[in-house]
Amino acid sequence: MSNRHSPGEVRDAILAAIKRSGGEADIETITASVGRIIGEVPSSSIRSYLRLNTEKVFERVSRGRYRIATQQRLPETSQVALGGPLFSVGKAKYFLSDSFRWMQGAAPCSFEAIVTDPPYGVVEFSELEVKKLRSGKGGVWRIPPSFDGITRSPLPRFTTLSDKDRTYLRGFFLDFGKLAGHVLVPGGHAIVASNPLLSHLVASALEEAGLELRGYVSRLVMTMRGGDRPKNAHEEFSDVTVMPRSMWEPWVIARKPLEGRVQDNLRRWRTGGLRRISGEKPFGDVIESHPTRSKEREIAPHPALKPQAFMRQIVRAALPLGEGRILDPFAGAGSTLAAANFVGYESVGIELDPEYAALAEEGIQKLQVLKT
């Protein structure tokens, strides 16, 4: 075993690698994924760890191929996750499942676009931090105080991410990009929410996975992130801002490579570009927005809920001919699916957290009819 990593780190990394691979994987895939999560670990060490912990933690599927043992698996292995959707609302179907496993099992070229706001697979949506968030203790979640009559929503502190967290993050999006390439048709777009501190990691990982970077959409919105004076020295350095107050949110736009020219791809796959706002006005990369309204948060109280006024524009643009299906692999309370229903598109959402899934059915029904 590598001297740089404890057995617990290696175990957790192997578990994460197998989950990312759709539930089972071979030694080479596991070793590469573990390397992206915690740094290089010899394949011989991975092999030894798997062999020593088979039956209790891992199951051997075939020669050199493993999966997580039954007692270690997550709740998404229920019949609901493996079979049909948890529920349907309009043209939207919602599944309770691990999104990577679900995408791995989906038919190739089964979606025309992906629109999603991922949890980044790192600190802020880990079991421990979600528990702190729900209890109001914060943890890495910045819970702003209530003042001037307004209660502001929590924000994750992305500045707290370590180098290891960022390595994991990049690996997470590399694996996500490969799965996106599997489920998307040629020319299909993946439109992925990010933030100014991490969008470069997301974009480079998606490119390495084989998608083409096509630009960014700037959502113009002022958040509570940044703009603060030095902590515990705000009077001494009253004219100093530690980092810029965030006034925009980048959404990365990537595309699965075309088959032929754009017009060829549009004729065969109905994708390859973005839907214009009108005959005279193209879809642009700057969208004025606002923080999610309290009315929407009351309907679907998810900490990362995006406003319908913005989501409807993004979702509409994702299908250039207004035909096809939208996938949201991190569906949360269902804002993407609600926007798709409003526009008239078919959509599928995947969510791992049962508490967020419990919000989604009623949330989609109410969000899709809101006036913005």
Side-chain angles (χ1 to χ4, degrees), residues 88-93 341 364 368:
S88 298
V89 178
K91 293 185 176 183
K93 294 180 180 180
N341 271 349
I364 293 169
Q368 69 185 13

Side-chain angles (χ1 to χ4, degrees), residues 81-271:
L82 297 177
L86 181 65
F87 62 81
S88 298
V89 178
K91 293 185 176 183
K93 294 180 180 180
Y94 192 106
F95 291 80
L96 180 62
S97 182
D98 177 271
S99 60
F100 281 23
R101 179 180 297 180
W102 195 97
M103 292 167 74
Q104 178 79 16
C109 301
S110 51
F111 289 91
E112 283 69 30
I114 292 172
V115 177
T116 193
D117 182 4
Y120 291 87
V122 285
V123 179
E124 80 277 13
F125 278 95
S126 66
E127 183 178 349
L128 174 62
E129 296 302 334
V130 168
K131 185 177 180 180
K132 290 180 181 179
L133 170 66
R134 287 172 175 160
S135 67
K137 294 182 179 178
V140 302
W141 287 89
R142 177 180 181 177
I143 302 181
S146 298
F147 56 92
D148 61 18
I150 298 175
T151 301
R152 288 165 173 79
S153 301
L155 288 170
R157 300 176 191 266
F158 292 114
T159 53
T160 67
L161 297 184
S162 66
D163 288 342
K164 188 167 75 172
D165 292 332
R166 289 171 181 269
T167 299
Y168 182 98
L169 173 78
R170 195 173 189 285
F172 177 88
F173 278 102
L174 179 59
D175 293 336
F176 169 74
K178 291 177 180 177
L179 290 170
H182 169 69
V183 300
L184 284 172
V185 304
H189 285 82
I191 306 178
V192 183
S194 188
N195 69 79
L197 297 178
L198 300 174
S199 58
H200 64 293
L201 292 178
V202 177
S204 63
L206 295 181
E207 279 195 302
E208 186 177 338
L211 304 181
E212 303 168 339
L213 181 62
R214 300 294 291 173
Y216 301 82
V217 168
S218 299
R219 176 187 169 217
L220 297 185
V221 57
M222 188 166 72
T223 72
M224 291 290 290
R225 187 178 294 113
D228 298 323
R229 298 177 176 88
K231 189 175 181 179
N232 299 323
H234 58 281
E235 292 183 357
E236 182 181 358
F237 300 102
S238 60
D239 293 330
V240 175
T241 289
V242 175
M243 61 181 294
R245 166 61 61 84
S246 181
M247 296 186 180
W248 71 295
E249 177 183 78
W251 285 60
V252 180
I253 302 181
R255 185 178 71 180
K256 183 172 177 176
L258 301 168
E259 283 190 357
R261 302 168 299 175
V262 173
Q263 55 267 46
D264 301 324
N265 207 91
L266 284 164
R267 292 179 186 120
R268 179 175 180 186
W269 295 104
R270 319 305 287 169
T271 61

Side-chain angles (χ1 to χ4, degrees), residues 244-315:
R245 166 61 61 84
S246 181
M247 296 186 180
W248 71 295
E249 177 183 78
W251 285 60
V252 180
I253 302 181
R255 185 178 71 180
K256 183 172 177 176
L258 301 168
E259 283 190 357
R261 302 168 299 175
V262 173
Q263 55 267 46
D264 301 324
N265 207 91
L266 284 164
R267 292 179 186 120
R268 179 175 180 186
W269 295 104
R270 319 305 287 169
T271 61
L274 297 168
R275 191 173 179 182
R276 296 176 68 91
I277 295 173
S278 68
E280 295 73 35
K281 189 174 182 181
F283 178 74
D285 63 1
V286 175
I287 298 177
E288 292 189 12
S289 185
H290 51 70
T292 306
R293 297 178 300 172
S294 59
K295 184 175 183 179
E296 293 181 49
R297 292 194 178 278
E298 289 169 6
I299 291 172
H302 186 284
L305 189 73
K306 297 296 189 289
Q308 282 295 293
F310 173 78
M311 291 305 303
R312 291 171 185 177
Q313 294 180 67
I314 289 286
V315 167

